[in-house]
């Protein structure tokens, strides 16, 4: 392994990564999502982490090489060139990045190695029934019990809650402060008495989302991230990583990776006889161009992302990906025509189009709705006047709420 503290040239680094991959990566993976569920993936991930390729921009003491952003991209390019997963976690692993930026030394030691190696499963405990997109309005409370915090309340739309070891929780710790100032951010252990998970059935007939109920659940004192009452600041960093991931890798057709040729829009257009239709070609070109533009915007935003920066530019990519998925679903349906009315394994192309049409709404809602992203873009990117918030500067316990019916 190269000396982690000794600078290396870009050419030397690229040659080192290529040599390491040639010696260690011998698999042909058709479906990365499926591969990530196998023991072979866990074994591979351990190799990548031990070789310090997983998070090369991170400090040496945390499995990194203290490399520049540009050299981190060189490593990711080489991994992508041979189809090997595992690199780039210093850009995309929102849980580990948030813990590294704000966690106590005890928490970092407890969770970062396990998250990088895929041994610790995580979930996000943000949205609530009364605070879907307005996360400053959460009412789940965390109260100091002398040894840590006691949590009571409810979260909703929580992915992977049933299997998670920890959840990143935003909770209210001070009801006398305005809504953005009375929040704190925690790593809450999920496998304990007092945490109940109930699955939700989605429009795609899947159950990735859950309701989570807390009844006197406990959080150790060392699991507070950042300062007490400054959870909003921590949340902005975590949201930036989440929106970055959704803007770059939103879920496409159900069979993505299983049949790349048929999943590709151009191949589908050729197969359906639409490729030579001038009007349709314009729509197809527009969608593909939007994809390319979004990739460039996401790369630009990530290049400027610092651990404590806001997520403003990431919102642009997240909103764009939402629109791209809806447009791609519309095009796929148009290409298939009457065939799109069919469903099931005997009609995989129609199944893909229908799944994408339904699942596109997930990207429009999850990680902050399209409307929230437009507000962020207008206020923080374009500099337009802020939306009026009558409850922004009053104690949260005085904020009016809708009465239960």
């Amino acid at each position: 392994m190269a000396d982690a503290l000794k600078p290396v040239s870009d050419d030397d680094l690229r040659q080192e990564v290529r040599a390491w991959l040639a010696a260690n990566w011998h698999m042909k993976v058709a479906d990365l999502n499926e591969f990530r569920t196998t023991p072979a993936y866990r074994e591979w991930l351990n190799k990548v982490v031990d070789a310090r390729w997983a998070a090369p921009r991170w400090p040496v003491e945390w499995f990194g090489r203290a490399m520049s952003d540009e050299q981190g991209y060189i490593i990711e390019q080489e991994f992508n060139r041979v189809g090997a997963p595992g690199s780039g976690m210093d850009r995309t692993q929102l849980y580990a990045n948030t813990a590294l930026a704000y966690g106590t030394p005890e928490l970092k030691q407890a969770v970062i190695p396990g998250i990088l190696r895929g041994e610790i499963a995580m979930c996000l405990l943000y949205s609530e029934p009364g605070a879907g997109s307005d996360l400053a309005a959460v009412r789940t409370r965390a109260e100091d019990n002398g040894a840590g915090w006691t949590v009571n309340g409810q979260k909703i739309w929580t992915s992977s809650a049933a299997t998670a070891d920890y959840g990143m929780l935003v909770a209210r710790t001070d009801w006398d402060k305005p809504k953005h100032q009375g929040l704190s951010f925690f790593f809450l252990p999920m496998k304990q008495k007092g945490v109940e998970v109930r699955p939700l059935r989605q429009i795609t007939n899947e159950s990735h989302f859950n309701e989570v109920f807390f009844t006197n659940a406990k959080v150790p004192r060392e699991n507070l991230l950042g300062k007490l009452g400054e959870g909003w600041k921590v949340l902005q960093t975590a949201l930036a990583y989440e929106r970055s991931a959704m803007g770059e890798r939103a879920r496409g057709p159900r069979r993505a990776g299983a049949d790349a040729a048929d999943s590709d829009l151009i191949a589908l257009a050729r197969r359906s006889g639409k490729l030579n239709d001038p009007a349709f070609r314009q729509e197809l070109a527009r969608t593909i161009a939007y994809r390319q533009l979004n990739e460039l915007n996401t790369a630009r935003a990530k290049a400027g992302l610092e651990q404590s920066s806001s997520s403003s530019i990431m919102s642009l990519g997240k909103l764009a990906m939402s629109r791209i998925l809806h447009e791609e679903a519309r095009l796929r349906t148009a290409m298939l025509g009457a065939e799109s009315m069919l469903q099931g394994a005997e009609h995989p192309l129609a199944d893909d189009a229908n799944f994408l049409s339904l699942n596109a709404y997930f990207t429009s809602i999850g990680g902050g709705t399209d409307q929230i992203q437009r507000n962020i873009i207008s206020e923080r990117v374009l500099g337009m006047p802020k939306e009026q918030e009558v409850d922004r500067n009053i104690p949260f316990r005085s904020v009016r709420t809708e009465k239960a019916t």
Side-chain angles (χ1 to χ4, degrees):
M1 185 185 76
D3 186 340
L5 298 177
K6 182 180 178 181
V8 294
S9 70
D10 291 355
D11 289 340
D12 288 346
L13 173 63
R14 193 178 296 278
Q15 292 307 314
E16 182 186 352
V17 181
R18 286 186 178 183
W20 187 87
L21 287 167
N24 291 279
W25 177 253
H26 308 294
M27 288 177 273
K28 297 291 183 184
V29 177
D31 188 332
L32 277 178
N33 289 328
E34 183 176 336
F35 178 59
R36 288 190 175 99
T37 65
T38 65
Y41 175 66
R42 183 76 60 83
E43 183 180 343
W44 167 249
L45 211 51
N46 275 317
K47 282 187 178 181
V48 178
V49 173
D50 289 340
R52 299 173 182 269
W53 298 129
R57 301 171 182 85
W58 280 11
V60 176
E61 60 268 32
W62 290 109
F63 309 98
R65 293 174 178 239
M67 285 184 163
S68 67
D69 192 53
E70 290 75 13
Q71 291 201 319
Y73 275 111
I74 289 175
I75 296 167
E76 291 174 45
Q77 286 171 355
E78 292 305 313
F79 270 66
N80 291 335
R81 186 178 59 83
V82 298
S87 189
M89 284 198 247
D90 42 16
R91 291 191 306 110
T92 61
Q93 223 310 332
L94 75 96
Y95 304 108
N97 278 285
T98 306
L100 181 69
Y102 292 102
T104 62
E106 296 84 357
L107 181 67
K108 290 180 184 177
Q109 195 64 47
V111 302
I112 287 179
I115 294 174
L116 290 182
R117 296 179 188 280
E119 297 165 352
I120 292 179
M122 298 288 305
C123 68
L124 298 173
L125 300 169
Y126 294 168
S127 296
E128 298 184 3
S133 292
D134 184 9
L135 293 179
V138 300
R139 290 181 168 271
T140 291
R141 62 175 65 219
E143 297 173 302
D144 195 330
N145 60 26
W149 285 268
T150 300
V151 178
N152 285 281
Q154 178 189 356
K155 297 292 180 178
I156 196 167
W157 310 124
T158 306
S159 303
S160 306
T163 56
D165 298 296
Y166 290 91
M168 290 209 308
L169 170 75
V170 58
R172 191 158 300 282
T173 49
D174 191 338
W175 293 67
D176 293 317
K177 294 281 182 63
K179 64 181 187 178
H180 292 85
Q181 299 174 25
L183 300 171
S184 298
F185 202 97
F186 305 93
F187 262 48
L188 181 138
M190 292 291 289
K191 300 185 184 307
Q192 62 167 304
K193 183 181 178 182
V195 177
E196 180 186 359
V197 178
R198 300 178 187 172
L200 295 168
R201 181 68 65 185
Q202 299 161 224
I203 193 172
T204 56
N205 203 32
E206 300 171 311
S207 292
H208 295 303
F209 301 132
N210 303 270
E211 292 178 288
V212 183
F213 297 85
F214 306 106
T215 306
N216 296 324
K218 299 295 189 290
V219 179
R221 186 161 296 280
E222 62 269 22
N223 285 24
L224 171 70
L225 279 79
K227 296 180 180 177
L228 189 67
E230 295 187 4
W232 186 252
K233 178 181 177 182
V234 183
L235 179 64
Q236 296 313 300
T237 297
L239 286 174
Y241 284 110
E242 182 184 11
R243 288 166 185 164
S244 166
M246 294 184 72
E248 185 178 42
R249 300 196 312 272
R251 191 179 181 191
R254 195 199 301 269
R255 300 176 307 115
D259 188 345
D262 284 348
S263 295
D264 182 83
L265 271 178
I266 296 175
L268 185 57
R270 183 178 291 111
R271 183 172 181 159
S272 64
K274 299 280 189 182
L275 194 57
N276 294 321
D277 181 325
F280 195 87
R281 286 171 68 94
Q282 281 195 337
E283 294 186 65
L284 187 61
R286 185 184 303 115
T287 300
I288 294 173
Y290 283 161
R291 279 183 180 172
Q292 294 296 317
L293 283 171
N294 197 36
E295 287 181 13
L296 293 173
N297 176 70
T298 302
R300 176 175 68 100
K302 285 179 176 176
L305 179 66
E306 298 177 355
Q307 296 285 7
S308 59
S309 68
S310 71
S311 57
S312 308
I313 302 297
M314 297 301 186
S315 293
L316 196 60
K318 201 264 184 185
L319 177 62
M321 182 54 75
S322 168
R323 304 318 306 161
I324 290 168
L325 291 179
H326 282 287
E327 182 62 14
E328 181 178 336
R330 188 185 68 77
L331 284 176
R332 285 178 178 273
T333 302
M335 283 190 277
L336 291 170
E339 186 183 352
S340 67
M341 299 177 69
L342 302 175
Q343 188 74 315
E346 299 82 7
H347 309 284
L349 296 179
D351 200 54
D352 270 351
N354 293 331
F355 176 81
L356 185 57
S357 296
L358 298 174
N359 198 61
Y361 290 96
F362 162 71
T363 306
S364 297
I365 298 172
T369 64
D370 287 357
Q371 290 78 9
I372 289 291
Q373 309 309 323
R374 289 190 178 97
N375 266 9
I376 293 172
I377 293 165
S378 68
E379 295 172 5
R380 303 181 195 172
V381 179
L382 302 178
M384 297 175 70
K386 289 182 69 64
E387 185 181 35
Q388 186 178 12
E389 291 182 83
V390 296
D391 58 354
R392 186 175 182 86
N393 296 313
I394 63 176
F396 190 74
R397 67 171 68 252
S398 301
V399 173
R400 295 180 60 185
T401 57
E402 294 183 3
K403 293 182 179 179
T405 57

